[in-house]
Amino acid sequence: MREVYLDNSATTRVSDSASKAVFNVMTNFYGNPSSLHGKGIQAEKIIKGSRQTIAECLGVLPSELYFTSGGTESNNLAIKGSAYSMKRKGMHIITTKVEHPSVINVCERLKDQGFEVTYLDVDSDGVLKLEDLKSALTSKTILVSIMAINNEVGSVQPIQEAAKIIKENSNSLFHVDAVQAFGKIPLVPGLKDIDLLSISGHKIYGPKGIGVIFIREKTRISSLFDGGGQEKDIRPGTENVPGIAGLEVAAKEAFENLDKWHDTMLGLKNCLKDGILEEIPDTVLNGPSFGGAPHILNISFLGTKGEILLHALEEHGIYVSTGSACSSHKKEQSHVLLAMGKGPEEIQGAIRFSLSPFLTIEDIEYTIDVLKKEVKTIRKFVRR
Ligand SMILES: Cc1ncc(COP(=O)(O)O)c(C=O)c1O
């Protein structure tokens, strides 16, 4: 049976070159980077090289990058770390209603600790309004956190414009959750006017359990851990050297192929979108019809249940998601679709397709054919 993996926003298959790099470091360069002997020095050199490569991808200084365990930890560090270090200047945080749970739940925890959080609305495409951001900024705002690409619907936020507004109108720090954007679309050159940025390895064909936080030089954030001083005490703990080496290879490949992979994914996504919307009745696009992420497509199949459709597709070797993987075990409605003003039928029947550049047009045609058949069958059994 053909296998069509369309859940790349949940996680990706590690590339052959990244997994070779991981294996090589695990078996040959297994020293602890803090050890003073040659094995330690070898491991330390690997980290230094990886930091340099990733800094070049972002156009920032290697000293501004800190390795973490992934996007969730980078987001926690960015938001809690700046809130704790800045709370004497103010206790107001701004974010949006469509952030990943690793941002929203951190903000909710800070609210319990006395911080005030403003959640910006989004329009029906899932995009925030810059006027709302401008009017939400106050003299007490210490942090704005906005994701670059939404993981459920693929809306792209106006990060560069937001950065300019924040810097011109406040003293706030600006954090960007770039987990779905890094290696997929060009980021703001040199991360201008961005103070903190989160990256994860497993979304770009790198290993799980490795990520990066960018912290602009001279930005002070509190560490959330106490330990042996690694990563300048921002993220103490023995470094995940194999993961770091794998992330380096994955990041290098993603940046070398950025335009090519972007165009391939966008072409495939548009074929899938047009095929579904034109050939299957009662389907609704959730997210921008133009200008969205190249790799994320969210469509509601009215009169179906996303979870039933997901399992029906699985029987044909097609793997999709009903929303974000992180929240799919909770039986809650998608907070992203709700914020976009979607109704219960649209939310219930929503499926996220997330693409990689390694798919083929035959994979897409096969998916459309299977969808046509399965949606029809499910609609006979699901009462509207
Ligand atoms: C936008 C976004 N932020 C953060 C994360 C969390 O990243 P990680 O799985 O590396 O903790 C994800 C993962 O799905 C994501 O999509």
Side-chain angles (χ1 to χ4, degrees):
M1 185 168 52
R2 186 185 279 270
E3 192 177 292
V4 185
Y5 185 71
L6 286 165
D7 204 13
N8 290 279
S9 285
T11 197
T12 57
R13 176 188 180 276
V14 181
S15 74
D16 292 345
S17 44
S19 51
K20 269 188 203 134
V22 172
F23 183 75
N24 184 32
V25 172
M26 278 183 159
T27 50
N28 295 314
F29 301 101
Y30 50 82
N32 185 324
S34 298
S35 294
L36 297 179
H37 51 68
K39 284 255 175 242
I41 291 164
Q42 274 177 340
E44 202 188 353
K45 260 194 187 153
I46 290 167
I47 299 180
K48 192 171 173 209
S50 301
R51 211 188 302 274
Q52 176 70 36
T53 304
I54 298 163
E56 281 165 17
C57 294
L58 292 168
V60 301
L61 299 172
S63 56
E64 294 175 313
L65 301 181
Y66 302 79
F67 290 106
T68 66
S69 67
T72 299
E73 190 183 323
S74 294
N75 284 346
N76 270 264
L77 256 171
I79 301 169
K80 288 184 192 152
S82 43
Y84 297 154
S85 84
M86 304 262 293
K87 68 176 172 204
R88 261 175 262 109
K89 295 191 180 152
M91 293 184 81
H92 180 225
I93 295 167
I94 300 173
T95 187
T96 79
K97 288 190 176 166
V98 295
E99 298 299 311
H100 187 266
S102 60
V103 168
I104 292 196
N105 292 340
V106 171
C107 289
E108 286 298 293
R109 191 174 290 276
L110 290 173
K111 236 164 100 177
D112 292 343
Q113 296 168 15
F115 288 85
E116 187 198 338
V117 182
T118 302
Y119 291 100
L120 299 176
D121 286 323
V122 293
D123 63 17
S124 55
D125 280 352
V127 181
L128 70 93
K129 296 186 199 75
L130 290 166
E131 317 87 81
D132 292 353
L133 168 63
K134 193 172 172 185
S135 48
L137 289 166
T138 74
S139 59
K140 299 281 174 220
T141 309
I142 49 166
L143 177 71
V144 179
S145 179
I146 300 174
M147 70 201 322
I149 289 183
N150 179 271
N151 51 302
E152 288 192 39
V153 297
S155 49
V156 179
Q157 300 297 356
I159 293 300
Q160 197 158 358
E161 294 82 348
K164 196 162 177 274
I165 289 174
I166 295 162
K167 294 300 152 185
E168 283 175 0
N169 296 280
S170 75
N171 293 317
S172 173
L173 294 178
F174 183 30
H175 166 242
V176 176
D177 173 353
V179 166
Q180 294 290 346
F182 179 72
K184 305 284 165 72
I185 58 167
L187 297 174
V188 178
L191 304 187
K192 188 172 177 334
D193 293 335
I194 295 171
D195 304 294
L196 301 146
L197 183 120
S198 304
I199 289 168
S200 178
H202 72 108
K203 311 288 184 181
I204 57 159
Y205 321 103
K208 294 171 183 55
I210 187 69
V212 173
I213 180 172
F214 158 78
I215 307 176
R216 186 167 296 286
E217 218 179 13
K218 300 205 177 87
T219 304
R220 295 274 161 268
I221 71 161
S222 301
S223 171
L224 305 182
F225 308 108
D226 298 301
Q230 294 92 340
E231 297 297 276
K232 291 186 263 174
D233 249 345
I234 290 290
R235 206 289 186 167
T238 302
E239 298 88 338
N240 173 2
V241 192
I244 291 170
L247 173 59
E248 176 186 8
V249 172
K252 204 158 173 259
E253 281 180 346
F255 276 78
E256 279 168 2
N257 294 292
L258 193 73
D259 292 341
K260 194 171 92 192
W261 286 1
H262 175 279
D263 293 352
T264 304
M265 289 193 289
L266 191 61
L268 293 170
K269 178 181 121 163
N270 285 336
C271 287
L272 183 60
K273 181 181 76 176
D274 295 345
I276 295 171
L277 296 178
E278 283 164 21
E279 295 180 40
I280 306 178
D282 292 329
T283 47
V284 181
L285 175 68
N286 301 315
S289 49
F290 183 75
H295 59 303
I296 302 176
L297 176 68
N298 191 311
I299 290 186
S300 293
F301 297 84
L302 304 181
T304 72
K305 285 209 166 77
E307 201 174 326
I308 299 177
L309 185 51
L310 176 152
H311 290 302
L313 294 176
E314 188 181 4
E315 294 293 311
H316 298 272
I318 301 168
Y319 298 93
V320 297
S321 176
T322 52
S324 64
C326 317
S327 56
S328 63
H329 291 299
K330 297 187 196 152
K331 298 281 173 203
E332 287 164 8
Q333 290 196 321
S334 157
H335 67 289
V336 176
L337 296 180
L338 274 175
M340 288 163 64
K342 299 287 173 180
E345 199 183 353
E346 284 161 318
I347 296 177
Q348 235 182 33
I351 290 285
R352 177 185 71 181
F353 305 91
S354 47
L355 290 81
S356 78
F358 314 117
L359 293 157
T360 63
I361 189 68
E362 288 76 26
D363 292 329
I364 300 300
E365 284 164 356
Y366 171 72
T367 303
I368 297 169
D369 280 346
V370 171
L371 273 166
K372 277 200 262 188
K373 204 173 84 209
E374 291 301 332
V375 168
K376 210 172 181 178
T377 311
I378 293 169
R379 280 180 176 156
K380 287 189 194 142
F381 298 105
V382 175
R383 267 194 296 134
R384 293 175 85 168

